[in-house]
Amino acid sequence: MLGIAHLPFPVLYGLAYGLYGLMAYVLRYRQRVVLENLRNSFPEKSEPQIRQISKDFYWHFAQVMVEMLKLAALPAAELRRRVRIHNPELISGAFAEGRTVLALGSHAGNWEWILPTGALEFPGRTYGVYKPLSNPFFEDFLLRLRTRTGAQLIPMRDTLRDLVKRRKEGRVLSMLTDQAAGPEDRPYWTQFLHQDTSFYSSADRLASQFNCPVVYVNITRRARGYYDLTIRPLHDGSTPLDKDAYVVTEAFARHLERDIQAAPASYLWTHRRWKHKRS
């Protein structure tokens, strides 16, 4: 994989075109899941429109895959040039007060470029919560990929312990919170893209307990290989927060819903996002 990472971007996008054809037309990679998710999320769209979004998604996904590989050999200066950060002061402003900022992201755009870019913008202060993989090869590869610019990773199960340990350190803690939360995860249920949807609600609990500011992070492609990373406020960390009202998680869901509706092909539709049902 490292050898592929050293290939120039034009060659990698040529490989991406081959991946696109393989996933969309030969293997039809999770096509039934993709189409079902799109039909349920956009009931107002016609079947030809749904099919077109599906094709656009596979092309987007193929580009993200080669960009993820490229990250293994991409110089820090080049990564900074390719990702513009908007409103970084919403995060850095809390550092002087010794606060941890929770940054909530999703599997939209090129999500794997968020943490390495954040580590360059906030050196020594960027942490990411992750769920360890069962495959040792991919676990090691992704750990190296995500930490190569200086970010530190925290297993999901250790998040609370880490916040207690570092509660007075000024830093940012990145979390992808759009996965399908199961019954054991104490999910928050809301209407999202016309469907009952379960979200992880840990951000509300952590922000309430540790007085953390919370921001929403979205990364969108502005050109091939170039992105805009936009930070928006969700909670200031000072206003009293009722963890059982799920104000933060609801605000995150609304921001994400608007961004998906604006660029539907850029979301990761291959996951069974709605596999759980409200009890």
Side-chain angles (χ1 to χ4, degrees):
M1 288 190 181
L2 190 58
I4 297 176
H6 284 283
L7 294 173
F9 271 105
V11 176
L12 286 173
Y13 288 123
L15 294 176
Y17 191 77
L19 278 174
Y20 161 68
L22 186 65
M23 289 190 296
Y25 298 104
V26 179
L27 299 178
R28 298 185 179 183
Y29 176 65
R30 296 193 177 183
Q31 188 179 79
R32 185 170 62 178
V33 174
V34 170
L35 291 174
E36 180 182 359
N37 284 342
L38 288 173
R39 290 176 185 130
N40 291 338
S41 299
F42 302 100
E44 74 282 2
K45 295 189 182 297
S46 66
E47 186 62 19
Q49 288 175 312
I50 293 294
R51 294 277 177 175
Q52 185 59 54
I53 295 173
S54 172
K55 292 177 182 178
D56 293 342
F57 157 71
Y58 281 114
W59 174 229
H60 162 77
F61 190 30
Q63 292 177 79
V64 168
M65 291 176 70
V66 299
E67 289 166 357
M68 286 170 58
L69 289 175
K70 184 63 177 176
L71 186 60
L74 193 63
E78 181 67 6
L79 180 61
R80 292 201 67 146
R81 188 176 73 85
R82 288 176 172 271
V83 182
R84 294 189 307 210
I85 301 181
H86 302 269
N87 310 320
E89 69 280 358
L90 292 175
I91 291 177
S92 60
F95 292 163
E97 301 174 355
R99 286 183 164 189
T100 293
V101 180
L102 303 181
L104 308 186
S106 69
H107 290 84
N110 187 341
W111 60 92
E112 288 292 349
W113 279 20
I114 295 176
L115 190 63
T117 300
L120 296 175
E121 181 71 18
F122 312 114
R125 298 179 182 271
T126 303
Y127 293 71
V129 176
Y130 82 107
K131 188 174 183 178
L133 302 176
S134 57
N135 185 298
F137 173 80
F138 286 108
E139 170 74 359
D140 181 68
F141 176 74
L142 286 176
L143 282 176
R144 291 173 181 269
L145 202 66
R146 292 166 177 170
T147 59
R148 67 179 300 267
T149 61
Q152 298 187 51
L153 292 180
I154 303 164
M156 186 183 296
R157 64 179 179 274
D158 296 334
T159 306
L160 181 60
R161 184 184 307 125
D162 182 83
L163 274 167
V164 171
K165 180 180 177 181
R166 296 187 172 95
R167 64 184 307 161
K168 295 190 181 299
E169 295 180 17
R171 60 186 182 137
V172 57
L173 190 61
S174 176
M175 310 164 68
L176 296 182
T177 58
D178 63 322
Q179 298 97 326
E184 71 282 0
D185 300 310
R186 291 187 285 176
Y188 167 66
W189 287 90
T190 187
Q191 278 288 300
F192 176 75
L193 295 174
H194 304 282
Q195 301 162 83
D196 267 349
T197 307
S198 61
F199 282 90
Y200 283 99
S201 59
S202 56
D204 279 277
R205 295 192 296 273
L206 296 175
S208 173
Q209 183 174 351
F210 296 98
N211 298 319
C212 296
V214 189
V215 297
Y216 170 83
V217 177
N218 185 45
I219 184 167
T220 56
R221 182 183 288 116
R222 70 175 186 271
R224 184 179 295 179
Y226 293 86
Y227 289 88
D228 285 310
L229 196 160
T230 303
I231 301 165
R232 303 174 190 149
L234 293 180
H235 174 62
D236 61 13
S238 300
T239 306
L241 185 67
D242 180 358
K243 63 181 176 59
D244 296 319
Y246 303 107
V247 172
V248 169
T249 306
E250 175 64 23
F252 169 80
R254 300 285 72 84
H255 277 291
L256 179 57
E257 184 175 55
R258 285 193 293 269
D259 285 338
I260 292 174
Q261 289 169 339
S266 69
Y267 193 57
L268 186 61
W269 296 106
T270 53
H271 285 192
R272 294 182 60 227
R273 180 69 183 82
W274 290 275
K275 62 184 177 181
H276 299 297
K277 302 301 179 184
R278 192 197 295 249
S279 58

